[in-house]
């Protein structure tokens, strides 16, 4: 699975999910260009040095972002107070891309776990 597969997943989504996911994906890759894009668990995932780092998913009424880490979620609980949070992911609106500042915090924290 490759970046082309991630593109196909995103392009298959109806608007406004498609545009929102494209924007979030672009932001993720701006923050960490070395991330490898794959499809896993039938959703777009981003790997760092062969390990799953973060992921996205589209659902009927929301999108999710996952830093794949309960520790990262707990450490950034205050930043995630406005979102519906689970153990290692959170939901966001289909028409509102995540802020770059939030994605930067979460991605950098997740990648620090691999150091």
């Amino acid at each position: 699975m490759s970046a082309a597969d991630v593109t196909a997943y995103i392009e298959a989504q109806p608007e406004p999910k498609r545009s929102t996911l494209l924007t979030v994906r672009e932001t993720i890759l701006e923050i960490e260009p070395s991330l490898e894009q794959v499809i896993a668990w039938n959703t777009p995932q981003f790997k760092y040095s062969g390990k799953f780092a973060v992921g996205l998913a589209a659902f009927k009424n929301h999108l999710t972002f996952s830093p794949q880490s309960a520790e990262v979620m707990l450490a950034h609980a205050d930043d995630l107070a406005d979102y519906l949070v689970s153990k290692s992911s959170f939901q966001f609106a289909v028409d509102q891309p995540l802020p770059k500042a939030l994605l930067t915090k979460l991605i950098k924290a997740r990648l620090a776990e691999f150091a």
Side-chain angles (χ1 to χ4, degrees), residues 34-85:
S34 70
L35 292 173
E36 176 190 2
Q37 301 176 70
V38 299
I39 294 290
W41 307 288
N42 297 317
T43 63
Q45 301 293 316
F46 300 81
K47 294 174 92 175
Y48 183 78
S49 297
K51 299 176 184 172
F52 289 101
V54 299
L56 297 170
F59 294 92
K60 183 177 179 182
N61 297 313
H62 66 274
L63 303 173
T64 63
F65 178 83
S66 175
Q68 311 263 349
S69 169
E71 291 80 13
V72 169
M73 295 291 291
L74 283 172
H76 295 87
D78 289 345
D79 294 314
L80 300 172
D82 293 334
Y83 299 95
L84 182 57
V85 176

Side-chain angles (χ1 to χ4, degrees), residues 2 7-8 18 25-26 60-61 65 79 81 89-90 94 97 107:
S2 67
T7 299
R18 180 183 318 120
R25 173 200 202 183
E26 180 180 307
K60 183 177 179 182
N61 297 313
F65 178 83
D79 294 314
S89 68
F90 64 94
V94 298
I107 292 168

